[in-house]
């Protein structure tokens, strides 16, 4: 996600973290992940400048949740300081170091990436659940004749690609079903998209 480093953006980023970690079946990490995102972005605001073009990436790295913030300034590398409890700044990275399994800074030709990894307690990188709706979709794909890649099992890139193509094929067949029964397939697809977006929005607190 690309954004401008600004205090107001931090609120939106925290909501995005709650949304996605809830969808990924990792709600227990929401509070810590939100705090890490806040500190990483605040670090950019303080030391690079407000309004800086910034990017946030959240992914799984083995069984850890990886949160990375990229900014275009490769000259000022953040360093964890021994700031005391009364210091106005310098505590952000110390806090991240205390919360995360590991953290670091990677300079590059287009700037730098400051990242941290949070332990999830998972036993496999894909062990996080997708929720009831994902479970139902996977059950349908199994009935459809596809060896589906489940949220709790390991899979190769090829297997994941096959499962993805099968899911797309199922959606296409359902649209044919609507048309064969005199229904508007485009309207059905639009209604499904509306339902999907409403369900995503329900994860975001007001």
């Amino acid at each position: 996600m690309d954004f401008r480093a600004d205090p107001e953006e931090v609120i939106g980023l925290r909501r995005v973290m709650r949304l996605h970690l809830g969808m990924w079946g990792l709600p227990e990490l929401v509070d810590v992940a939100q705090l890490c995102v806040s500190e990483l972005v605040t670090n950019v605001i303080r030391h690079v400048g407000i309004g800086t073009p910034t990017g946030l990436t959240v992914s799984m790295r083995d069984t850890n949740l990886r949160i990375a913030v990229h900014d275009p300034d490769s000259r000022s590398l953040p360093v964890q300081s021994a700031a005391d409890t009364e210091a106005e700044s310098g505590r952000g990275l110390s806090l991240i170091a205390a919360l995360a399994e590991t953290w670091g800074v990677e300079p590059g030709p287009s700037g730098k990436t400051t990242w941290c990894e949070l332990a999830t307690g998972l036993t496999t990188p894909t062990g996080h659940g997708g929720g009831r709706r994902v479970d139902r979709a996977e059950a349908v794909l199994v009935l459809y004749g596809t060896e589906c890649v489940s949220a709790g099992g390991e899979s190769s890139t090829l297997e994941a690609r096959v499962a993805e193509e099968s899911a797309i094929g199922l959606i296409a067949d359902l649209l044919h079903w609507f048309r064969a029964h005199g229904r508007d397939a485009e309207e059905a697809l639009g209604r499904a998209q509306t339902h999907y977006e409403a369900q995503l929005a329900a994860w975001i607190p007001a």
Side-chain angles (χ1 to χ4, degrees), residues 26-203:
L26 297 171
E28 68 279 0
L29 291 182
V30 168
D31 291 341
V32 175
Q34 287 181 326
L35 186 54
C36 289
V37 167
S38 297
E39 294 298 336
L40 290 173
V41 176
T42 299
N43 192 68
V44 175
I45 294 172
R46 286 177 175 168
H47 301 291
V48 183
I50 193 168
T52 298
T54 311
L56 170 67
T57 303
V58 182
S59 60
M60 293 297 296
R61 186 175 184 274
D62 196 12
T63 58
N64 285 347
L65 179 75
R66 182 182 176 93
I67 302 170
V69 170
H70 176 82
D71 70 75
D73 186 359
S74 59
R75 296 169 299 173
S76 58
L77 301 181
V79 177
Q80 181 183 350
S81 67
D84 59 41
T85 56
E86 302 300 321
E88 288 296 323
S89 62
R91 291 180 294 173
L93 291 180
S94 296
L95 182 58
I96 288 176
L99 295 173
E101 285 290 291
T102 183
W103 72 277
V105 184
E106 298 174 357
S110 62
K112 68 176 179 295
T113 299
T114 308
W115 57 270
C116 66
E117 292 184 7
L118 305 178
T120 63
L122 300 176
T123 57
T124 67
T126 56
H128 48 299
R132 179 172 56 87
R133 295 184 182 279
V134 174
D135 291 341
R136 290 195 316 199
E138 290 178 348
V140 171
L141 282 172
V142 170
L143 292 174
Y144 193 68
T146 302
E147 189 64 32
C148 187
V149 178
S150 68
E154 297 186 20
S155 62
S156 67
T157 301
L158 177 59
E159 289 172 334
R161 182 64 177 171
V162 169
E164 178 183 324
E165 290 301 322
S166 295
I168 292 172
L170 173 58
I171 294 170
D173 287 350
L174 288 172
L175 294 177
H176 282 294
W177 181 90
F178 276 100
R179 183 177 181 182
H181 287 79
R183 306 295 199 277
D184 188 329
E186 290 295 327
E187 180 193 9
L189 191 61
R191 286 165 56 194
Q193 180 70 23
T194 298
H195 286 309
Y196 170 71
E197 291 174 353
Q199 289 154 7
L200 287 185
W203 282 95

Side-chain angles (χ1 to χ4, degrees), residues 12-31:
L13 293 173
R14 290 172 63 91
R15 296 174 68 186
V16 167
M17 290 300 299
R18 179 176 294 278
L19 165 66
H20 285 284
L21 292 183
M23 291 174 58
W24 289 355
L26 297 171
E28 68 279 0
L29 291 182
V30 168
D31 291 341

